[in-house]
Amino acid sequence: MRRRGYMLSSRWRVGAPLARCWEVLADPELTWPVWWPRLRTRDVAPVDGLVGSSATLLFRTPLGYALKVGLVVDEADPHRRVLVSATGDLVGTGDVALTALAPERTQIAVVWDVRTTRRWMNATAPLLGGVFAASHARVMRAGERGLDAHLARTRVVTGT
């Protein structure tokens, strides 16, 4: 069965300096589930400098199905950009770029170029492809809101 391809993009805008956003996103322990709803991680394997770091992300989508995605960092330009490869239920690449919009405001642009591997998703893609993309958008919005709230909470505690 033919895999269905998706080009998915999100732009997060959070109220924190770029360096602080990088610190949280590039956390070697990948503590994203602390602030990203419906996300769990496992098999987190950090590498100094990020390149080669890997983890498995387990997402519970708003529609109730789960996605298991393995990520490996292929390239990293600290405080600017990370390129990752995805395996599992989605295969392809992710491109994450950080841009300072103001001293206390950062944009995080995420672009996924992926294909689904699950048989049922490929079979239903002609009917549900738009629904899958909308589900992804909701998951990403929840991540943006969670990160923004986490950064606001930790700014008060750490003073950064």
Side-chain angles (χ1 to χ4, degrees), residues 4 8 10 32 42 61 65-66 75 78-79 87 105 126 128-129 135 141 145 148-149 154 156:
R4 172 69 187 237
L8 304 164
S10 304
W32 299 356
R42 66 177 192 210
T61 72
Y65 62 90
E75 296 179 37
H79 298 95
T87 58
R105 197 97 182 122
L128 298 179
S135 180
R141 276 193 305 276
R145 286 190 301 268
D148 197 39
T154 58
V156 171

Side-chain angles (χ1 to χ4, degrees), residues 11-32:
R11 290 197 189 281
W12 295 5
R13 289 178 179 85
V14 295
L18 187 145
R20 179 68 180 126
C21 292
W22 178 265
E23 179 183 303
V24 171
L25 293 173
D27 170 20
E29 299 303 315
L30 201 62
T31 56
W32 299 356

Side-chain angles (χ1 to χ4, degrees), residues 61-145:
T61 72
L63 299 176
Y65 62 90
L67 288 177
K68 179 178 173 183
V69 182
L71 295 183
V72 175
V73 176
D74 295 324
E75 296 179 37
D77 183 3
H79 298 95
R80 295 188 198 314
R81 191 175 191 189
V82 175
L83 301 175
V84 298
S85 294
T87 58
D89 293 333
L90 302 174
V91 295
T93 59
D95 184 345
V96 181
L98 287 79
T99 306
L101 299 175
E104 294 290 324
R105 197 97 182 122
T106 301
Q107 175 177 276
I108 302 161
V110 182
V111 177
W112 288 104
D113 183 1
V114 294
R115 295 194 175 284
T116 53
T117 63
R118 294 175 90 180
R119 190 172 194 80
W120 75 268
M121 291 182 83
N122 292 329
T124 60
L127 293 174
L128 298 179
V131 174
F132 296 151
S135 180
H136 166 46
R138 286 183 59 192
V139 167
M140 295 300 284
R141 276 193 305 276
E144 176 186 24
R145 286 190 301 268

Side-chain angles (χ1 to χ4, degrees), residues 51-71:
V51 174
S53 296
S54 63
T56 300
L57 306 181
L58 304 161
F59 288 96
R60 175 64 59 187
T61 72
L63 299 176
Y65 62 90
L67 288 177
K68 179 178 173 183
V69 182
L71 295 183

